[in-house]
Amino acid sequence: MKKDYVIKILFIENSLEEAEQIISLLRNTGIAVRPARATNVEQLQTAVNELEPDVVMFDPTVSTITIDEAVKVLDANGRDYSLLGLVNAMDNQVVAELFVHGVRGIASRTQPKQLIAVLQREFDSLQTRRQVRRLETALRESERRCDALLDSSNDAIAYVHEGMHVRANQAYLETFGYDNFDDLLGLPVLDMIDSTHADEFKSLLKGHSRQEKVASQLTLHARRADGSHFDATVEFAPATFEGESCLQIVFRRQLVDQAVLEQLQRDPVTGLFNRARMLECIDDAVAAAARGKKGQSLLLVEPDNWASLVGGIGLGKADELLAGFADRIRMLLGADDVAGMLAEHTLGVVLDSREDETIKEWIAKLQHSVSNEIFDAGARSITVTASIGGSLLGEKNANAELLLNQASQALRTAQSLGGSKMELHDPAAREKADEERDRYWLELLQQALTTDGLVLYHQQTISLQDAEGDYSEILLRMNGPQGEVLPGFFMPIAEKHNLTGAIDRWVLDQAIKALKARETQGQQTTFFIKLTAASLQDDTLLPWLGDRLGKAALKRGHLVLEMTESKVMTLLRPAQEFVNGWKKLGGRFALEQFGSGLNSFQLLNHVDADYLKIDRSYMAELPQHPDSQKKIAELCQQARELNRQTIAEWVEDATSTSLLFACGVDFVQGNFLQVPQRLE
């Protein structure tokens, strides 16, 4: 269930207290509820008119209104709704009577998990029914517009059902020399095709009617009413006409060489399909999966350490390397497989129906082929490895955007494991496991929020420029069944279930208390605290912060809220408004992972950040990478000119600290300097 929905629930219930218990249960689970209650027909009529409920929970023990009376009032309102029976125990006779009178599900008061599951199922079902009606309305409107476009189109378009014309536009009539559609009514479309191509055309018609994988285009000789011929390219697409499945056929006069059209769909560097054509192929595969085709998969392939490879051979030879890399893929493609470019150095492969093990074998062959090849790039010869991530394609994930996201996530996972690794997402196998894992972590997280199971650490940030006071990064942990758990395990679950805002407030509240305690000891302290996207868009957070800071009356304590550069870029306007409001409260702001974008300093024109936390990628083996040292020095120079302070994170050795001081970095932080300590 989407958590951004508010469920409007009408209780037909004797006890106000028991209704409140259910409402509290739902809200504690993270389900937003707008409730009402009725115990007689008059109250029910008023509640239905004012609330327009999504779900009605009927207690059969209510004596002042029968279920038939309730259904009559609800149906008279004209809105779709889900009717649930609300019982203390599962009595077969009571349950049967409820179902006979229109109840869709039974919820037990004594089984909270069952109650929530039934409510979620019925609300999701209600949303689906409403969405279907909206889609049917949109479909009718689209069909009306398509019909109007059909008449105004210059292309010759006809609709064919079982080989016979059922609709044709004016351009079609003019192309074939007919005066009106009555001349075509009941005429086989095969009569428009020259005899030399009739068999091939007929085979295509049969293939499309059986929803088989056949060509969507055919080049042939078409025949006019007067017996003359012309060359045409015929395009086929499934369609509906007056509720019946049919085939849309478009005749285009062949004015452009087919070889030229084919070339326009190719990437000039690799010779594989270009991005636009590859996305069309993915859409075709998704459509086939939605119709029940099994065994397809989408793979994303990238050379490992691409930036380092290009840095070694030079940008001018990158295309030559990429072309050789693509040849390795092309050699292994089957007759019905397709491959193409999806990004700068990301290649996509749609494999036709294969067993899961066969897909893994194909991936292993490709990785072996790539790693064993010596690639020539100008005067240099190098070896390359490939990381491959993909997703099996089935009816459950038959959505192009979802499929690409799953494959992309799998690729990132494979890359994180090191070079020449593979990760294959199986939606059918993982769905249940992921759901169980989510449920487990959600319960732990909700328990931690209610029982102070969250823990704060701080890691000192050392000033290289003799700044006054103590500076520390606040780090979050959670008490788990086997010890403390890092945020990487539970924050994705929190984000999925809209709990990040509550976590942020808990962290901020604890940090303000810690600052107040240090204030009494005369310590000047600055805490850096990570902020999530949910809090950035929460209009109530700044007033809450202002109230908490006002009560704390801090004089020597400061809060610096921070977000990653990439997240701020995607939420630029909310970030700008939030930072401006935060500055009015006297707060400061930091941008994490700074320098990772194409023009990071341009962001400062919109978001007034006081601190720039340099992207950690520049710290990796810093003494061995002069380019990283140069980049850090440039960032620090630009920051000083703009009166911003810089922070280097993940500093792991003394040599790096000295180099960062020479580069002009203001602060450094890392386990080499101090491991995180429990915040007391």
Side-chain angles (χ1 to χ4, degrees), residues 281-545:
C281 293
I282 294 173
D283 287 336
D284 291 342
V286 165
R291 293 194 297 268
K293 185 173 182 178
K294 300 178 181 179
Q296 299 179 102
S297 58
L298 171 65
L299 306 179
L300 300 183
V301 187
E302 282 189 6
D304 290 321
N305 304 312
W306 177 254
S308 299
L309 290 173
V310 173
I313 64 175
L315 189 60
K317 300 299 179 183
D319 285 353
E320 190 175 336
L321 174 59
L322 196 60
F325 187 81
D327 285 340
R328 299 291 98 192
I329 296 175
R330 186 184 292 105
M331 291 170 56
L332 294 175
L333 293 177
D336 295 320
D337 302 330
V338 293
M341 299 299 300
L342 287 174
E344 177 193 3
H345 59 281
T346 305
L347 293 86
V349 181
V350 175
L351 296 180
D352 199 48
S353 297
R354 284 174 168 81
E355 295 292 333
D356 294 357
E357 288 304 315
T358 308
I359 294 171
K360 293 178 182 178
E361 290 171 6
W362 191 94
I363 293 173
K365 286 180 182 178
L366 176 59
Q367 289 180 321
H368 183 266
S369 174
V370 169
S371 61
N372 279 14
E373 179 71 7
I374 297 176
F375 294 90
D376 294 320
R380 295 193 58 182
S381 296
I382 60 174
T383 57
V384 179
T385 59
S387 291
I388 301 176
S391 178
L392 304 182
L393 176 55
E395 194 172 356
K396 288 185 177 180
N397 64 337
N399 176 285
E401 183 177 357
L402 174 62
L403 179 66
L404 283 164
N405 287 340
Q406 290 172 342
S408 179
Q409 181 61 45
L411 175 61
R412 300 299 162 234
T413 301
Q415 291 172 327
S416 69
L417 298 174
S420 198
K421 301 294 183 182
M422 64 84 72
E423 179 76 12
L424 198 59
H425 175 80
D426 182 353
R430 291 193 173 188
E431 185 177 358
K432 189 173 182 179
D434 288 347
E435 185 177 340
E436 184 64 30
R437 175 183 175 275
D438 281 6
R439 190 183 303 114
Y440 172 78
W441 283 107
L442 177 60
E443 290 176 358
L444 285 180
L445 186 55
Q446 289 173 333
Q447 184 179 357
L449 277 169
T450 55
T451 61
D452 285 336
L454 298 175
V455 182
L456 290 186
Y457 280 72
H458 72 103
Q459 185 175 43
Q460 194 168 6
T461 301
I462 309 298
S463 173
L464 298 181
Q465 310 298 334
D466 296 324
E468 294 183 3
D470 294 330
Y471 295 79
S472 290
E473 175 87 10
I474 298 299
L475 304 172
L476 179 64
R477 305 286 186 267
M478 183 178 78
N479 287 325
Q482 297 180 344
E484 292 179 352
V485 182
L486 295 173
F489 288 93
F490 61 84
M491 284 304 286
I493 308 299
E495 184 174 359
K496 183 177 180 180
H497 295 279
N498 296 327
L499 293 176
T500 53
I503 293 174
D504 283 350
R505 292 200 182 202
W506 185 89
V507 172
L508 288 165
D509 188 62
Q510 297 300 314
I512 291 171
K513 289 178 181 177
L515 285 175
K516 183 64 177 176
R518 295 185 177 210
E519 185 103 339
T520 59
Q521 300 171 11
Q523 296 182 34
Q524 181 175 327
T525 306
T526 299
F527 283 161
F528 291 84
I529 300 176
K530 301 181 190 301
L531 201 65
T532 63
S535 292
L536 194 70
Q537 301 174 84
D538 183 358
D539 295 333
T540 65
L541 180 60
L542 284 177
W544 178 85
L545 262 175

Side-chain angles (χ1 to χ4, degrees), residues 47 100-101 201 368 400 603 612 619:
V100 166
H101 289 86
F201 188 84
H368 183 266
L603 183 59
L612 309 178
M619 308 304 153

Side-chain angles (χ1 to χ4, degrees), residues 204-220:
L204 277 174
L205 286 180
K206 287 182 178 179
H208 279 285
S209 67
R210 296 169 184 162
Q211 296 186 345
E212 297 174 355
K213 185 174 181 179
V214 293
S216 59
Q217 282 189 353
L218 178 64
T219 301
L220 46 69

Side-chain angles (χ1 to χ4, degrees), residues 11 39 69 116 152-153 157 174 225 238 248 264 319 322 336 354 363 409 428 450 463 473 510 588 634 669 677:
F11 292 90
T39 56
E69 290 173 332
I116 291 170
S152 62
S153 175
I157 305 173
E174 292 174 357
Q248 176 186 277
L264 291 174
D319 285 353
L322 196 60
D336 295 320
R354 284 174 168 81
I363 293 173
Q409 181 61 45
T450 55
S463 173
E473 175 87 10
Q510 297 300 314
R588 300 175 189 173
E634 291 172 354
Q669 176 192 339
Q677 305 288 325

